[in-house]
Amino acid sequence: MNTAPPSVLFVCVHNAGRSQMAAAFLTHLTEGRIQVRSAGSAPADAVNPAVVEAMKEAGIDITAEIPKVLTVEAVQASDVVITMGCGDACPYFPGKRYLDWQLTDPAGQGIDAVRPIRDEIETRIRALISELSIP
């Protein structure tokens, strides 16, 4: 029986908003007891400043995060792959568990538009933690 904690990969187009928030919440709420990755099919130059600000309000500092390009290796190394609007750009591998979260893209949005996206992501992350039975 495999007792290693599951690894989760969050993927969106720019890796500058949704996937960064999701990865930060999962890392924070599990206190690092799970391997978390995030990537983008076409990464931006930097994380959306409104996303950084919204996460600061939630007590999580992601100022040091940088968007990363999605690699085949990252998908292969993950047990669960959660996509957020990257469509066909996300590679598919049999045997992986895929979830697609339909979330508003915070790109170009101000803090007032980002807060409800952040809160929706936190709700989904808490449900995921429960579902994966991560203490």
Side-chain angles (χ1 to χ4, degrees):
M1 184 175 142
N2 184 2
T3 56
S7 58
V8 178
L9 169 65
F10 296 99
V11 183
C12 66
V13 177
H14 301 297
N15 190 223
R18 297 166 290 187
S19 55
Q20 290 282 358
M21 288 190 281
F25 272 123
L26 186 56
T27 299
H28 179 76
L29 294 171
T30 62
E31 297 172 344
R33 290 188 300 270
I34 182 169
Q35 188 168 26
V36 181
R37 298 177 185 86
S38 73
S41 53
D45 294 331
V47 175
N48 178 334
V51 166
V52 172
E53 189 60 33
M55 292 303 289
K56 261 189 198 151
E57 291 177 358
I60 301 173
D61 183 1
I62 62 168
T63 52
E65 294 299 326
I66 53 168
K68 294 168 281 308
V69 68
L70 177 64
T71 64
V72 168
E73 293 77 19
V75 177
Q76 289 175 324
S78 301
D79 299 308
V80 181
V81 179
I82 300 176
T83 57
M84 304 170 173
C86 67
D88 297 336
C90 297
Y92 178 82
F93 291 95
K96 303 288 175 200
R97 178 166 174 214
Y98 287 85
L99 299 170
D100 185 48
W101 289 357
Q102 297 296 321
L103 295 161
T104 304
D105 188 348
Q109 305 283 335
I111 186 83
D112 292 337
V114 172
R115 285 184 187 114
I117 301 167
R118 174 202 63 202
D119 296 345
E120 171 70 15
I121 289 172
E122 181 180 9
T123 299
R124 289 178 186 226
I125 291 297
R126 290 182 181 278
L128 180 70
I129 290 168
S130 174
E131 191 182 312
L132 295 175
S133 302
I134 301 163

